[in-house]
Amino acid sequence: MQLMLPDFRVLQRDFLLEISRAMTAQLDLGEVLRLVLNASIVMLAGKVGIVALRDANGLYRVRATMGVDSERITQLNRLLDELVTTEDGLDPDFLNAQLSQMAVTLDKRLRQSLFLPLVIAGEAVGLLIVFRAYWVEATDNDLQILQSFADQAAIAVHNAQLYARIDYERKRLAAILEYSADGVMILDADLRILGFNRALERMSGWTSHDAVGRDLDEVITWKRLEKGDLRKALQDGWPFRMPPDAPVETLYVEGDMVRRDGLTLSVGITYAPLLTVDGNLANIIANVRDITNFRQAQEMQNVFISTISHELKTPVALIKGYAGTLRREDAAWDPEVIKDSLAVIEDEADRLTELIENLLAASKLKAERMRLDLSDVRLDQMAAQVVERFQTQTRTHQFVLSFPPDFPVIQGDEFRLRQVLDNLVNNAIKYSPNGGIIEIGGGVDDETVTIFVRDQGVGIPEREQERIFERFYRVDDTLSRRTKGTGLGLYLAKTIIEAHGGRIRVKSKPGQGSTFYFTLPQC
Ligand code: ADP
């Protein structure tokens, strides 16, 4: 016995070494648990061994066995199920009773069971059980041996859990990056591309396969760089060292990127540095956003502001000019001149009012849904009044009204609907510079009325017919450029009609005039 002891210790050490090697070699958890079992059985002169681990629901489940028929595993699991029914963890007496039953289930010759819980950070995650074919009092030494293997098994389980969590996080992150609507790129500290997601493939025309491994400058090339410069920022010391808990300082770069097919795309790229624990740059995550729409909206806004200031200035200049002339005391104006001048002042003041009205309405529309002030509206009479007013403003256009008799009275917001008709008739005049007939008419259906305004003007190309109803949108042709306008009239008209539960659309062919229709519910 005295002589046996060193051998025994050597054997135990060899087993422990083998197990820790297996763990560092990242063998599969089942494999490591089987090694632990084998070592425990040999060291304790056991016959059969089981490792059970708790699953996500806290139930013990057989994970590794030695000397157990696979058909027995279901029965073992059923006995293990009952273990958790005891309060305060595992009640040793109950456990012993269960183990005896297990022993009977497994092999009638089994006489003794030795077990230890597998514990990680104070929490039981499993059980290591060894059955012997004979019964001797378990010594401290037995339990110590078992403990050393149970510790190894617990570490292996812990590693496996950590690995599974990291693996899950890694896959989750990869999926987020891959399916992000923004382009995402991962770079190393030398600006070599390590990752390239689908959205970026679409934006840049590069496949991930071709882009990964290349230098950033080979893939992201600029026609025009407007803001920021990554290379320069890196030379200047970006990312600047900060206290460890300070938020990372990102870098924004914006410009026109040249795609692989040669087309350009306006993008904004935010570079976020990932630092190592000692503060060195490890990776850069680049988030690439297509800002074409944003740019277009900005462009439209700029054009709008310059048109609007021009539009406001012209009538003011005219009013001021005429008023100044009339006021001159050295001139005796004849009544005809005075009358004409006052008429111009009045017209221009009307134009200003209309413009301001449209502007106000459009800016209010952005902030809130349009509220309607409903009353009885006679659209045929309203059309006649609008025509009467516009007739004085043009000599080259002829107005025709075609409403059936007894045109129904509808419920609507009179002021707003007049704005719609005004805008449509005004456009009909503006966009038929050679004059012609402008017809305004109506039709009646079971549940709706339809009003149309038809001109013989320049017409609208098919591809523009949807867009002209957008805010600030104007067809980019020579006539529109020469004609005053803000691109608000049709946007307003559409909003007003839709607020009434109706629809507005246009039928037109370039060179053959346009007809705008709007439909309103009868009541
Ligand atoms: P604006 O006339 O102030 O530019 P609108 O919103 O009223 O703004 O119209 C948008 C665009 O639709 C106009 O710039 C013009 O190009 C086109 N358009 C509108 N009405 C007509 C029409 N009757 N005939 C031809 N083009 C039209």
Side-chain angles (χ1 to χ4, degrees):
M1 243 357 223
Q2 290 294 323
L3 276 177
M4 285 283 287
L5 198 59
D7 279 353
F8 195 70
R9 290 274 171 237
V10 169
L11 188 59
Q12 182 185 11
R13 197 200 59 199
D14 286 351
F15 272 131
L16 288 176
L17 216 69
E18 187 188 356
I19 294 166
S20 53
R21 275 210 199 96
M23 279 198 288
T24 33
Q26 290 194 329
L27 274 192
D28 155 69
L29 178 65
E31 205 74 36
V32 176
L33 293 180
R34 260 189 302 282
L35 276 176
V36 169
L37 267 182
N38 181 44
S40 314
I41 289 173
V42 173
M43 297 294 299
L44 297 172
K47 192 167 166 52
V48 172
I50 298 169
V51 176
L53 297 182
R54 292 175 81 181
D55 67 9
N57 302 319
L59 293 177
Y60 286 89
R61 284 278 162 274
V62 174
R63 279 298 300 270
T65 57
M66 293 283 291
V68 174
D69 280 349
S70 51
E71 308 93 78
R72 295 273 175 261
I73 289 181
T74 326
Q75 277 166 291
L76 286 178
N77 278 333
R78 213 171 294 139
L79 288 166
L80 285 167
D81 274 351
E82 291 170 28
L83 290 184
V84 287
T85 53
T86 58
E87 283 188 1
D88 302 331
L90 297 168
D91 164 5
D93 292 338
F94 183 74
L95 185 56
N96 270 322
Q98 294 294 98
L99 290 177
S100 312
Q101 276 210 42
M102 275 191 205
V104 174
T105 313
L106 289 169
D107 187 336
K108 295 223 163 30
R109 286 165 302 172
L110 296 178
R111 290 290 173 270
Q112 186 184 22
S113 57
L114 300 162
F115 69 88
L116 267 186
L118 307 183
V119 180
I120 299 170
E123 195 193 338
V125 294
L127 269 179
L128 170 63
I129 313 165
V130 173
F131 295 94
R132 278 174 172 160
Y134 56 91
W135 200 95
V136 282
E137 191 72 53
T139 62
D140 282 354
N141 195 38
D142 286 345
L143 290 179
Q144 230 173 29
I145 291 169
L146 200 57
Q147 185 69 59
S148 65
F149 293 120
D151 288 347
Q152 294 290 309
I155 293 170
V157 171
H158 190 47
N159 285 352
Q161 283 175 345
L162 289 180
Y163 183 76
R165 201 177 310 153
I166 291 171
D167 193 48
Y168 169 75
E169 283 302 328
R170 196 176 53 79
K171 287 194 178 124
R172 199 170 74 100
L173 202 65
I176 292 175
L177 294 187
E178 191 58 20
Y179 296 105
S180 153
D182 283 345
V184 180
M185 220 178 357
I186 301 171
L187 309 172
D188 69 11
D190 297 324
L191 305 191
R192 197 164 293 279
I193 298 174
L194 304 178
F196 202 82
N197 78 345
R198 281 166 204 246
L200 195 50
E201 287 186 333
R202 279 194 300 275
M203 279 185 210
S204 65
W206 282 81
T207 61
S208 157
H209 180 263
D210 286 353
V212 167
R214 284 187 198 252
D215 205 67
L216 173 69
D217 296 336
E218 283 180 75
V219 176
I220 307 289
T221 52
W222 300 98
K223 185 172 168 206
R224 197 163 53 114
L225 195 55
E226 283 185 8
K227 256 186 229 163
D229 184 334
L230 179 62
R231 291 255 175 218
K232 193 168 169 309
L234 284 166
Q235 276 165 15
D236 295 346
W238 180 86
F240 309 107
R241 274 166 199 268
M242 288 281 175
D245 49 352
V248 286
E249 192 168 326
T250 57
L251 178 77
Y252 184 68
V253 170
E254 187 181 305
D256 295 332
M257 175 181 86
V258 184
R259 288 166 43 94
R260 200 177 195 183
D261 56 15
L263 298 176
T264 56
L265 186 74
S266 305
V267 293
I269 307 185
T270 306
Y271 293 103
L274 275 185
L275 303 182
T276 57
V277 262
D278 40 348
N280 292 320
L281 184 62
N283 290 106
I284 299 175
I285 313 285
N287 185 287
V288 188
R289 184 162 283 190
D290 179 352
I291 53 169
T292 317
N293 289 341
F294 173 71
R295 283 267 176 97
Q296 267 173 1
Q298 248 180 352
E299 184 90 17
M300 259 155 91
Q301 199 99 327
N302 289 344
V303 170
F304 169 71
I305 289 174
S306 60
T307 0
I308 209 75
S309 31
H310 173 80
E311 290 278 292
L312 286 171
K313 267 191 194 152
T314 320
V316 172
L318 278 170
I319 291 171
K320 191 169 160 49
Y322 276 91
T325 316
L326 290 181
R327 229 171 61 103
R328 267 168 54 185
E329 282 160 11
D330 54 342
W333 301 114
D334 69 62
E336 201 54 30
V337 174
I338 295 177
K339 212 174 122 203
D340 282 355
S341 306
L342 286 175
V344 172
I345 291 177
E346 198 180 357
D347 278 356
E348 293 303 317
D350 282 350
R351 245 184 75 191
L352 264 182
T353 314
E354 189 186 306
L355 192 68
I356 291 167
E357 210 56 74
N358 275 356
L359 266 179
L360 278 181
S363 64
K364 223 165 118 192
L365 284 185
K366 236 190 127 188
E368 55 183 88
R369 252 186 74 82
M370 179 175 280
R371 273 206 311 275
L372 298 178
D373 194 0
L374 295 181
S375 65
D376 284 354
V377 180
R378 302 198 61 101
L379 287 165
D380 48 351
Q381 283 179 12
M382 186 189 280
Q385 289 158 3
V386 170
V387 164
E388 202 177 314
R389 202 152 57 75
F390 277 101
Q391 189 75 77
T392 58
Q393 295 186 10
T394 166
R395 291 207 182 89
T396 46
H397 296 90
Q398 229 182 305
F399 290 90
V400 176
L401 281 166
S402 31
F403 282 88
D406 301 328
F407 193 77
V409 179
I410 62 142
Q411 285 290 302
D413 185 320
E414 178 146 14
F415 173 76
R416 296 290 185 199
L417 291 175
R418 191 183 297 275
Q419 245 179 341
V420 175
L421 270 184
D422 272 353
N423 275 316
L424 293 182
V425 175
N426 194 15
N427 280 350
I429 297 172
K430 280 201 298 191
Y431 300 106
S432 45
N434 300 327
I437 295 170
I438 295 176
E439 185 181 357
I440 306 164
V444 187
D445 250 342
D446 282 352
E447 288 168 1
T448 56
V449 297
T450 302
I451 307 290
F452 66 87
V453 177
R454 176 172 300 138
D455 64 51
Q456 297 174 323
V458 292
I460 303 162
E462 172 104 36
R463 63 174 186 285
E464 307 275 10
Q465 292 181 6
E466 283 272 325
R467 298 213 61 191
I468 53 173
F469 294 100
E470 287 172 21
R471 215 156 81 108
F472 304 147
Y473 191 82
R474 308 195 68 210
V475 177
D476 189 16
D477 59 15
T478 33
L479 178 62
S480 290
R481 259 176 265 133
R482 268 191 287 124
T483 317
K484 294 186 183 113
T486 52
L488 282 177
L490 289 179
Y491 166 71
L492 262 183
K494 181 174 153 77
T495 317
I496 294 170
I497 296 302
E498 286 178 356
H500 280 82
R503 268 168 47 84
I504 184 163
R505 66 207 143 84
V506 63
K507 267 199 193 145
S508 178
K509 277 217 175 85
Q512 295 180 22
S514 314
T515 308
F516 284 83
Y517 299 86
F518 65 84
T519 306
L520 293 170
Q522 275 205 46
C523 51

